[in-house]
C-alpha cells in the first residue's frame, strides 16, 4: 500500500511555536527566536551576565547592568567569541551577517516577482478574450529570439563562472602559504561550511548563530482511496493522533524473550513471545524461511514469513 504524505503543521522543535506555511516560507523555514550553534549544531541557550557601566552623572560610582548573550552547553561556544554585542533583553536581537551577494539576490527576486506578476496578468487577459492569437504573430510581437539572445549575452558577461580564455601565465601563490603555520582549530570543517551555504565561512571567527530549522507534522493518506490512515494533533506539543487507523492493534506483537548469541552455521535455540492485541482468538503459523522463495516473489505474505 502506497502512502501519500501531507504536511499539517510546521513548528520549531525548541520553543514548539507553530506557523503557517506562508510565514515559514518567508522565514526560510527557520525559527526567528531559537538558534543553533554554528560549531557543533547544538541548541544555543541564553545566558545572563553583569557588567559595570559608567555613570553619566557621577563617574566614580558606576552602576551594574544585566546583559544577555548566547552560549552552547556542548562545545562552550558563545556569541562573544565572534565579537557580537551583548543584548539588554533576553528575547533576541543578535546581529545577523548576510552573504556577499545578498543585496543582488534580493534585487533579482524583486525583478522576477514583477515579471511573474506581469505574466500572470497577461495570461488572465488572454483567457478572458476568446480571440486566438497565432503563434507567429505572437513571437514576432515580443521578438523571442532577440530577447533570448540579449539575456544569454548579458548572463555570460556578468557571470563569474563564464568561460574564459586559457593563458600561459598565472598568478603566483602567496609566499605565506608555504611559511605560515596552519592552526586547524581556526579553520572551519566541511559540515560547518555547508551549514551556511550562502557564506561558507573559512575561519571559525566568521561563524555566527544559525536560526533553528523547522520540523513538520505529517498526515498519511492512502494513494488509492485517499483515506486518512494517520493524522496527528495540530498542537506541536501533543503526541496524540486525531486519526490512527493503522494495523498496529491488529497484528500480533513478536518479542525476543532472551538475548541469544548467534553464530554462523550453528543452530541456536531461541525463545520468543507472542502477544495478541485483539480480544479475539488468533491463529499464528510459523513457516520456514526460504531465501530463494523470499527474494524471487514480491508477495506480502513472504515478508510476514521472514518476520515471524
Amino acid at each position: 500500500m502506497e502512502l501519500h504524505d501531507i504536511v499539517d503543521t510546521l513548528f520549531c522543535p525548541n520553543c514548539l511555536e507553530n506557523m503557517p506555511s506562508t510565514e515559514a516560507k518567508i522565514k526560510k523555514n527557520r525559527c526567528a527566536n531559537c538558534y543553533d550553534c554554528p560549531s557543533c549544531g547544538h541548541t544555543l541557550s541564553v545566558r545572563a551576565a553583569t557588567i559595570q557601566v559608567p555613570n553619566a552623572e557621577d563617574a566614580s560610582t558606576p552602576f551594574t547592568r544585566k546583559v544577555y548573550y548566547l552560549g552552547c552547553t556542548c562545545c562552550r561556544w558563545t556569541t562573544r567569541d565572534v565579537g557580537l554585542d551583548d543584548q539588554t533583553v533576553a528575547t533576541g536581537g543578535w546581529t545577523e551577517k548576510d552573504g556577499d551577494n545578498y543585496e543582488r539576490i534580493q534585487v533579482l527576486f524583486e525583478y522576477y516577482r514583477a515579471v511573474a506578476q506581469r505574466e500572470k496578468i497577461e495570461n488572465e487577459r488572454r483567457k478572458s478574450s476568446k480571440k486566438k492569437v497565432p503563434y507567429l504573430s505572437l513571437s514576432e510581437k515580443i521578438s523571442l529570439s532577440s530577447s533570448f539572445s540579449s539575456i544569454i549575452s548579458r548572463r555570460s558577461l556578468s557571470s563569474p563562472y563564464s568561460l574564459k580564455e586559457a593563458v600561459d601565465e598565472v598568478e603566483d601563490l602567496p609566499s605565506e602559504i608555504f611559511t605560515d603555520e596552519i592552526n586547524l582549530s581556526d579553520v572551519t570543517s566541511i559540515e560547518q561550511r555547508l551549514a551556511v551555504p550562502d557564506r561558507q565561512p573559512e575561519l571559525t571567527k566568521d561563524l555566527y548563530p544559525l536560526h533553528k530549522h523547522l520540523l513538520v507534522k505529517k498526515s498519511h493518506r492512502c494513494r488509492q482511496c485517499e483515506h486518512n490512515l494517520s493524522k496527528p494533533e495540530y498542537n506541536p506539543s501533543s503526541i496524540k493522533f486525531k486519526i490512527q487507523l493503522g494495523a498496529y492493534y491488529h497484528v500480533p506483537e513478536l518479542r525476543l524473550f532472551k538475548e541469544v548469541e548467534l553464530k554462523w552455521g550453528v543452530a541456536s535455540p531461541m525463545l520468543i513471545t507472542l502477544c495478541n492485541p485483539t480480544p479475539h482468538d488468533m491463529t499464528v503459523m510459523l513457516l520456514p524461511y526460504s531465501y530463494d522463495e523470499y527474494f524471487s516473489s514480491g508477495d506480502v505474505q513472504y515478508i510476514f514469513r521472514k518476520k515471524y
Side-chain angles (χ1 to χ4, degrees), residues 101-293:
N101 301 322
Y102 178 77
E103 296 181 358
R104 175 61 177 168
I105 293 174
Q106 293 301 320
V107 171
L108 292 176
F109 273 145
E110 293 296 332
Y111 172 74
Y112 286 112
R113 190 178 291 111
V115 172
Q117 184 67 20
R118 185 172 57 190
E119 291 180 352
K120 182 179 179 181
I121 295 175
E122 291 179 358
N123 292 333
E124 292 178 355
R125 188 180 303 170
R126 292 194 191 98
K127 291 180 180 179
S128 60
S129 61
K130 297 182 179 180
K131 185 178 179 180
K132 297 183 179 180
V133 182
Y135 175 75
L136 293 177
S137 61
L138 182 62
S139 60
E140 293 174 357
K141 182 178 179 181
I142 62 177
S143 63
L144 293 176
S145 59
S146 60
S147 60
F148 282 147
S149 61
S150 60
I151 292 174
I152 294 173
S153 61
R154 289 198 303 269
R155 184 177 179 181
S156 61
L157 293 175
S158 59
S159 176
Y161 304 103
S162 57
L163 297 178
K164 298 180 181 180
E165 296 181 1
V167 294
D168 297 334
E169 298 181 358
V170 295
E171 297 180 359
D172 296 335
L173 293 174
S175 58
E176 296 83 7
I177 197 174
F178 303 103
T179 58
D180 294 350
E181 184 178 357
I182 300 177
N183 189 3
L184 296 179
S185 60
D186 296 337
V187 182
T188 56
S189 61
I190 296 179
E191 291 79 7
Q192 293 172 351
R193 297 184 187 185
L194 295 181
V196 194
D198 55 343
R199 292 190 292 109
Q200 297 188 8
E202 298 180 0
L203 302 177
T204 55
K205 65 179 182 180
D206 298 330
L207 294 175
Y208 284 79
L210 304 174
H211 287 279
K212 200 166 195 60
H213 277 285
L214 299 179
L215 298 181
V216 296
K217 274 191 171 184
K218 296 181 180 180
S219 60
H220 303 286
R221 181 177 295 180
C222 178
R223 286 184 178 273
Q224 297 179 357
C225 62
E226 295 294 331
H227 190 75
N228 280 325
L229 299 177
S230 176
K231 187 175 181 63
E233 291 284 348
Y234 185 78
N235 188 7
S237 59
S238 176
I239 60 174
K240 297 181 180 180
F241 291 88
K242 288 184 177 179
I243 300 175
Q244 183 71 7
L245 299 179
Y248 178 79
Y249 296 105
H250 300 276
V251 177
E253 183 181 2
L254 177 67
R255 289 185 179 183
L256 186 63
F257 183 76
K258 186 178 180 181
E259 185 178 357
V260 179
E261 183 180 359
L262 301 178
K263 296 182 180 181
W264 176 259
V266 179
S268 302
M270 185 179 296
L271 186 62
I272 59 175
T273 59
L274 282 171
C275 179
N276 184 10
T278 65
H280 310 287
D281 295 337
M282 181 179 295
T283 303
V284 178
M285 181 181 299
L286 298 178
L287 300 177
Y289 171 71
S290 176
Y291 181 86
D292 298 333
E293 187 181 15

